[in-house]
Amino acid sequence: MSHSRDIFESRKQFQLERIILFSDAVFAIAITLLILEIKLPESDGEVTQQVFLNKMKDLIPDFIGFFISFVVIGQFWTNHHRLFGYISGYDGKLLWLNLFMMCMVALMPFSTHLNMQYGNLDVVWFLYSMNLAGIGFGLLLMWRHIAHNKELSYMSNDKNFMKMARVRSISVVIIFILGGAITFLPFLWIKWLSRFFFFLLFPVLGFIRKKYSSRKNILSQVTK
């Protein structure tokens, strides 16, 4: 009986590792494809240093788009990595939720390329923002799923931690959606503001982490 259980546990761990390896591969490929969207400058005539510098200057918006997407995908990867660090089991729903998130990650090179080429168009920025919101939404759904399944995560009993994880994920989704939606408002300064709206993530997530860390300390003192 014990031997059969050991085999089952080993197989379950192997399947979890397959999910993680597959997800890491999708993240890695998506990040790699980002840089391939930046094309080397071409010239019909002689390429002097000045001509080269002028052409590289034209690529600055593309590099900005690359770095923004790289940082965002990297942040989502760390959150995904943290999530699966708390997972001890899996079911069919978790697999499909993870596949949904990977689908959104795989779309990032395409939406980033659109943003590089036509980022001045409101509809393009909206689509790019919705792509990011989709990744965040997939992560939120997985946090919600494991929070209600003790068989999937030992952390499901830590209500304060699970609430913090869900609030963080909800905040990310809301910020990306708002960042895309406000670009349609008929004010030029708001359209520019929407391009920097994502930077709200850092103070908002920092505030949430501090708030729930303080609450955890208070609860631990009360229960002593």
Side-chain angles (χ1 to χ4, degrees):
M1 182 71 175
S2 177
H3 180 65
S4 299
R5 183 172 181 177
D6 290 342
I7 293 176
F8 175 77
E9 290 297 328
S10 298
R11 181 175 178 82
K12 183 172 69 173
Q13 185 61 35
F14 172 71
Q15 296 291 5
L16 273 175
E17 290 176 358
R18 286 188 65 195
I19 298 171
I20 296 170
L21 288 173
F22 169 78
S23 303
D24 285 347
V26 174
F27 275 109
I29 292 171
I31 281 182
T32 302
L33 289 177
L34 291 177
I35 193 62
L36 297 181
E37 299 297 342
I38 302 179
K39 308 301 181 184
L40 291 175
E42 298 180 359
S43 178
D44 297 331
E46 180 183 357
V47 179
T48 64
Q49 180 169 292
Q50 188 60 45
V51 170
F52 173 78
L53 291 175
N54 290 336
K55 288 185 174 295
M56 290 300 294
K57 188 188 302 181
D58 294 335
L59 293 178
I60 290 178
D62 291 352
F63 278 103
I64 293 175
F66 163 77
F67 284 116
I68 291 175
S69 293
F70 186 95
V71 170
V72 172
I73 293 178
Q75 182 62 40
F76 276 124
W77 176 81
T78 60
N79 292 335
H80 185 274
H81 177 75
R82 187 180 300 114
L83 167 70
F84 272 86
Y86 299 122
I87 290 179
S88 54
Y90 70 94
D91 58 12
K93 185 174 181 179
L94 182 65
L95 288 176
W96 281 106
L97 291 177
N98 188 63
L99 280 173
F100 169 76
M101 182 179 177
M102 293 305 103
C103 177
M104 295 295 102
V105 172
L107 279 173
M108 277 300 296
F110 174 72
S111 63
T112 299
H113 183 59
L114 280 181
N115 191 43
M116 288 176 178
Q117 298 298 315
Y118 310 105
N120 59 308
L121 301 178
D122 296 338
V123 66
V124 171
W125 182 254
F126 177 77
L127 292 174
Y128 178 71
S129 301
M130 291 306 100
N131 190 175
L132 297 176
I135 302 175
F137 186 61
L139 195 62
L140 168 62
L141 291 177
M142 284 195 286
W143 276 115
R144 286 177 59 86
H145 184 54
I146 69 170
H148 298 93
N149 291 271
K150 296 181 180 180
E151 298 81 8
L152 301 183
S153 175
Y154 64 91
M155 290 298 292
S156 61
N157 292 321
D158 191 336
K159 304 302 181 183
N160 185 68
F161 174 81
M162 283 298 177
K163 186 175 182 180
M164 180 188 71
R166 294 197 300 272
V167 170
R168 280 171 57 93
S169 298
I170 291 172
S171 300
V172 169
V173 174
I174 291 175
I175 287 175
F176 283 134
I177 291 176
L178 288 179
I182 64 175
T183 192
F184 291 115
L185 295 178
F187 303 102
L188 183 60
W189 66 274
I190 291 183
K191 294 180 184 296
W192 278 104
L193 179 64
S194 68
R195 270 60 174 178
F196 298 94
F197 202 79
F198 298 167
F199 289 103
L200 283 176
L201 282 171
F202 301 105
V204 169
L205 295 182
F207 171 78
I208 293 172
R209 182 171 58 252
K210 183 176 180 180
K211 176 183 177 181
Y212 282 91
S213 296
S214 300
R215 181 178 298 179
K216 183 176 182 180
N217 293 333
I218 292 173
L219 291 174
S220 62
Q221 292 175 5
V222 170
T223 54
K224 286 182 178 179

